[in-house]
Amino acid sequence: KQRKEEKRSNLLYGTIFVVFLLVAAAAIIWKSNIIQRTATAVTIDGEKYTAAEVDYYYHNLYQNFLNNYYSYISYIGIDTNSSLKDQTVSSMGAMLTGAEEGTSWHDYFLNQALDQMADTQALEAAAEAEGFTWDDEMQTTLDETMESLSTSAAAYGYTEGQYLSMVYGSTMTKSIYEEQAKRSILVSSYVNAYQDSLTYSEDELEEAYAADRNTYDVVTAQYVRISGAAASTDEEGNEIEVTDEM
């Protein structure tokens, strides 16, 4: 009877120990972002993408947007220190971007990212079908991109992994970043090569212009605001009545 109780006790503690190890292992794996990094976040035409891959396009689009509209961010109504999920598109933002007013900026950039991913995937497939392959010039661009990453990280006092996590989120790794950068470089080179291969006669250009002049006629405007208000005090600082004539 004593041996049976000891065996039962040992089995119980052994089971508890195994469960503890499993929980600890699961916690370690979760904190390492292995699951989040490899889990499918979205599928586009049969190709699966992880959250880190989506973040690559999402954050690049967001940063490019901030760079392009830097002088108008306050008018657009984006607070760069707050979550985009809690910020809605203003009327000014809708006018500049074509986004639906009242939707969240997070949804806008996410949809833009997914569209760009679909475009990249389609163009990559077209490049492969036409035998457009990776060359030395593209490799040089990729090497420069990775060197820029290293330089930027060092400038802020971070490792490359820490810098990528800061910019793209905790699931981003150097290998994922390099893979997506390589895809972007290939697709960009393919598009440029395709555009360079196109030729048009003068008559074709004139016909295209006549059909849609507003696409080609662009006006750049600037304005300077000058206050026309008269001073409400005299030279000695005394308040005076401002007349219509003044």
Side-chain angles (χ1 to χ4, degrees), residues 156-218:
Y156 286 98
Y158 294 116
T159 65
E160 293 174 347
Q162 290 171 333
Y163 181 78
L164 288 171
S165 294
M166 181 182 69
V167 176
Y168 293 96
S170 60
T171 59
M172 182 58 70
T173 64
K174 182 179 178 180
S175 60
I176 294 174
Y177 175 84
E178 184 172 4
E179 178 187 3
Q180 295 307 311
K182 185 174 182 179
R183 293 185 73 175
S184 298
I185 292 169
L186 174 66
V187 167
S188 179
S189 299
Y190 170 71
V191 170
N192 289 336
Y194 172 76
Q195 290 176 339
D196 291 342
S197 69
L198 300 176
T199 57
Y200 302 97
S201 67
E202 185 173 344
D203 289 340
E204 288 175 323
L205 294 173
E206 289 290 346
E207 182 180 353
Y209 173 70
D212 189 9
R213 294 175 181 268
N214 289 338
T215 299
Y216 305 99
D217 291 337
V218 180

Side-chain angles (χ1 to χ4, degrees), residues 9-240:
S9 179
N10 290 337
L11 180 61
L12 174 61
Y13 286 118
T15 303
I16 293 174
F17 181 69
V18 170
V19 171
F20 173 79
L21 285 179
L22 291 174
V23 171
I28 293 172
I29 292 173
W30 180 262
K31 288 182 179 180
S32 70
N33 283 325
I34 293 175
I35 295 176
Q36 300 96 314
R37 194 177 295 135
T38 58
T40 300
V42 65
T43 301
I44 300 176
D45 291 336
E47 184 172 347
K48 297 179 179 180
Y49 294 89
T50 64
E53 291 168 334
V54 176
D55 283 341
Y56 173 85
Y57 294 90
Y58 179 98
H59 288 287
N60 279 346
L61 283 166
Y62 179 48
Q63 290 302 322
N64 287 336
F65 181 88
L66 294 181
N67 291 336
N68 292 334
Y69 294 101
Y70 177 79
S71 301
Y72 307 99
I73 293 300
S74 59
Y75 296 102
I76 294 174
I78 291 182
D79 181 0
T80 55
N81 296 317
S82 300
S83 172
L84 293 176
K85 294 181 180 180
D86 301 326
Q87 303 182 59
T88 56
V89 178
S90 63
S91 57
M92 174 67 76
M95 181 180 68
L96 289 175
T97 64
E100 183 179 350
E101 184 177 353
T103 59
S104 74
W105 279 110
H106 167 74
D107 288 341
Y108 169 74
F109 286 111
L110 179 58
N111 289 332
Q112 291 289 305
L114 295 177
D115 287 344
Q116 189 177 68
M117 291 169 68
D119 291 342
T120 298
Q121 181 176 313
L123 289 168
E124 189 177 35
E128 182 179 0
E130 295 181 20
F132 189 86
T133 57
W134 190 258
D135 59 23
D136 292 340
E137 185 176 352
M138 296 180 212
Q139 184 61 47
T140 298
T141 302
L142 179 61
D143 292 340
E144 291 174 349
T145 299
M146 301 308 294
E147 180 63 28
S148 178
L149 166 65
S150 179
T151 302
S152 298
Y156 286 98
Y158 294 116
T159 65
E160 293 174 347
Q162 290 171 333
Y163 181 78
L164 288 171
S165 294
M166 181 182 69
V167 176
Y168 293 96
S170 60
T171 59
M172 182 58 70
T173 64
K174 182 179 178 180
S175 60
I176 294 174
Y177 175 84
E178 184 172 4
E179 178 187 3
Q180 295 307 311
K182 185 174 182 179
R183 293 185 73 175
S184 298
I185 292 169
L186 174 66
V187 167
S188 179
S189 299
Y190 170 71
V191 170
N192 289 336
Y194 172 76
Q195 290 176 339
D196 291 342
S197 69
L198 300 176
T199 57
Y200 302 97
S201 67
E202 185 173 344
D203 289 340
E204 288 175 323
L205 294 173
E206 289 290 346
E207 182 180 353
Y209 173 70
D212 189 9
R213 294 175 181 268
N214 289 338
T215 299
Y216 305 99
D217 291 337
V218 180
V219 177
T220 300
Q222 294 180 323
Y223 71 89
V224 179
R225 185 175 183 272
I226 302 174
S227 175
S232 59
T233 58
D234 59 20
E235 295 178 355
E236 298 178 355
N238 300 315
E239 290 190 6
I240 59 176

